[in-house]
Amino acid sequence: MATTTPLTPSDQRRKPPPLPADALWWALCAAAALGLVGCSSLGPHRVWGTAAGAGYLAAALLASRGRSPRTAGAVAVTGAVLLPLLWLLAVDRAQLEVRVVARSAGLLLAEGTPYLQRPVVPEDFNPYLPGMAVFGLPEAVAGPGPLTDPRLWMGAAFLGAFALALPAGSRSAPLRWIAACPLVALPLAVGGVDLPVAGLMCLGLALAGQGRAGAAGLALGAAAALKWTAWPAIPVAVALLAAASRSAGRPADRGEGRRPADRAAARCGLVALLTAAALVLPAALREPGAFRAHVVDFPLGLTDAVSSAASPLPGHLLATHVPGGRTLALLLLGVSALLIALSLLLRPPATTAEAAARLALGLLLAIAFMPASRFGYLVHPLVLAVWAALRETPGHTLFLRVRKQVSR
């Protein structure tokens, strides 16, 4: 007789750490928003910083007077997301990525590829994988407008995926907090392509943690069709599912073949790769040269047009100020990827929290050593880290283990 037994590791019994929501936290958020106003030359960023700074200060004042975290958080979300988003939609202002996504959708419908054939200036390049164009389809079909703006659909995809990745019944407060966090609130208002990728990665890991290998593969494959940064999530999810087979405790019986969790890991990886291939290959094979120029050469700085992505991170500093620094940065990037891969083989993550932490570390190293990167890319490890802390709630089943009990 086969029964299912919840596998509950020790870290699952601990109460997850509370998210900061006091007056000091909101004051720090206000300082970050107002600091952006002073140092950014981008109009949408300055609009966001002004509105968000006011919202965060109001939230800090409410928190200092003993108002509930829900009230302070709602005020912060209003000031940091809703007000700047509505204003920017009304005046048709957005971050460059929004226009790139909208243009790519129009090209996809007209020419079968989201990439310009002869890009010249940085604004001509679309460094995202073909799946990203789906967020521009409403505008490409129905025309420009507040309801067809790609940032609305990218934000909705992120919030929906992140909510589904959380335990049922405890979604409101985490969603409110993550939406109000400056690294997330900024792209929600001005437009950011990294948010749906981060949300789908969380959802994929959550589904893998539940043993739903096929669904996990679909979510991760969809994320992998949006941007290269999602690809490391696939081996992490496969390792997470493979670890379940090791925790089962005994080898498979003769004639059974591989253990169920072994098959689940293989199924997750296969579904993810097939999903990504189905969404990426048609456009890539239609114009291979344009695909390579946009999504490989341009992000790596191998084109005449140089990406505007720049932050004082090690990879960018090496590529900019050290002779042969670009090669060195790429070498460090490769070494960090190899070390993360070895850690998955030698010590695969046993829980979704461990898997998210491993993925966050890998992405953090990648962001640090990429020759062209922005501070905004840090939204990936941030969302994964917050999700990992929230996901490990008491009583939630990470894996279901099939235990055969033989009647005597």
Side-chain angles (χ1 to χ4, degrees):
M1 180 177 68
T3 62
T4 58
T5 304
L7 183 62
T8 54
S10 58
D11 67 330
Q12 189 182 5
R13 302 187 184 96
R14 295 196 300 265
K15 186 178 180 179
L19 294 170
D22 55 13
L24 177 59
W25 165 251
W26 297 124
L28 291 174
C29 292
L34 296 175
L36 184 64
V37 176
C39 67
S40 178
S41 60
L42 300 176
H45 285 196
R46 294 172 65 86
V47 169
W48 176 84
T50 302
Y56 290 139
L57 287 174
L61 180 62
L62 290 173
S64 67
R65 293 186 174 182
R67 302 299 291 269
S68 68
R70 174 180 295 183
T71 301
V75 170
V77 170
T78 300
V81 179
L82 295 180
L83 291 181
L85 175 60
L86 292 175
W87 174 259
L88 291 170
L89 286 173
V91 299
D92 194 23
R93 298 283 301 277
Q95 198 163 253
L96 176 61
E97 287 87 336
V98 176
R99 301 277 65 87
V100 170
V101 171
R103 183 188 65 211
S104 70
L107 287 171
L108 182 64
L109 293 180
E111 303 178 14
T113 175
Y115 306 109
L116 288 172
Q117 300 304 306
R118 296 177 181 83
V120 178
V121 297
E123 292 74 13
D124 292 340
F125 284 88
N126 171 18
Y128 317 121
L129 292 173
M132 192 67 73
V134 71
F135 297 111
L137 289 178
E139 181 171 317
V141 173
L147 297 181
T148 61
D149 193 285
R151 85 190 93 174
L152 289 181
W153 300 96
M154 291 187 288
F158 164 71
L159 294 174
F162 190 80
L164 290 174
L166 293 171
S170 59
R171 292 170 176 164
S172 177
L175 276 176
R176 187 168 53 249
W177 188 91
I178 198 71
C181 182
L183 272 177
V184 174
L186 174 62
L188 280 176
V190 305
V193 297
D194 295 295
L195 288 179
V197 180
L200 285 171
M201 286 193 293
C202 291
L203 179 58
L205 290 180
L207 293 169
Q210 297 168 9
R212 299 169 61 184
L218 285 173
L220 294 174
L226 300 179
K227 204 173 180 185
W228 289 120
T229 48
W231 282 82
I234 297 176
V236 172
V238 169
L240 176 63
L241 285 164
S245 66
R246 299 184 184 181
S247 68
R250 68 189 187 101
D253 295 336
R254 289 183 179 180
E256 283 189 1
R258 290 186 299 174
R259 286 170 288 188
D262 285 331
R263 293 194 293 271
R267 184 166 64 252
C268 176
L270 181 61
V271 170
L273 293 176
L274 290 177
T275 302
L279 295 173
V280 171
L281 286 181
L285 295 178
R286 184 174 179 85
E287 293 291 343
F291 177 82
R292 176 179 174 179
H294 282 266
V295 304
V296 178
D297 294 345
F298 180 67
L300 293 179
L302 303 178
T303 60
D304 293 335
V306 179
S307 172
S308 60
S311 293
L313 296 170
H316 177 69
L317 294 177
L318 285 172
T320 306
H321 302 291
V322 177
R326 185 175 300 278
T327 301
L328 179 57
L330 294 176
L331 179 62
L332 291 172
L333 182 63
V335 170
S336 62
L338 178 61
L339 291 176
I340 294 294
L342 287 176
S343 76
L344 293 176
L345 291 173
L346 300 177
R347 191 176 178 181
T351 69
T352 51
E354 292 179 15
R358 199 79 55 88
L359 179 57
L361 175 61
L363 291 175
L364 187 62
L365 291 172
I367 293 166
F369 294 129
M370 284 171 56
S373 61
R374 290 190 178 99
F375 279 126
Y377 298 166
L378 294 173
V379 71
H380 291 292
L382 168 73
V383 169
L384 286 164
V386 171
W387 175 77
L390 296 169
R391 191 67 173 83
E392 297 305 309
T393 55
H396 181 76
T397 300
L398 295 176
F399 297 104
L400 288 179
R401 182 173 65 198
V402 177
R403 184 175 61 192
K404 292 191 174 182
Q405 298 175 341
V406 180
S407 302
R408 293 186 178 180

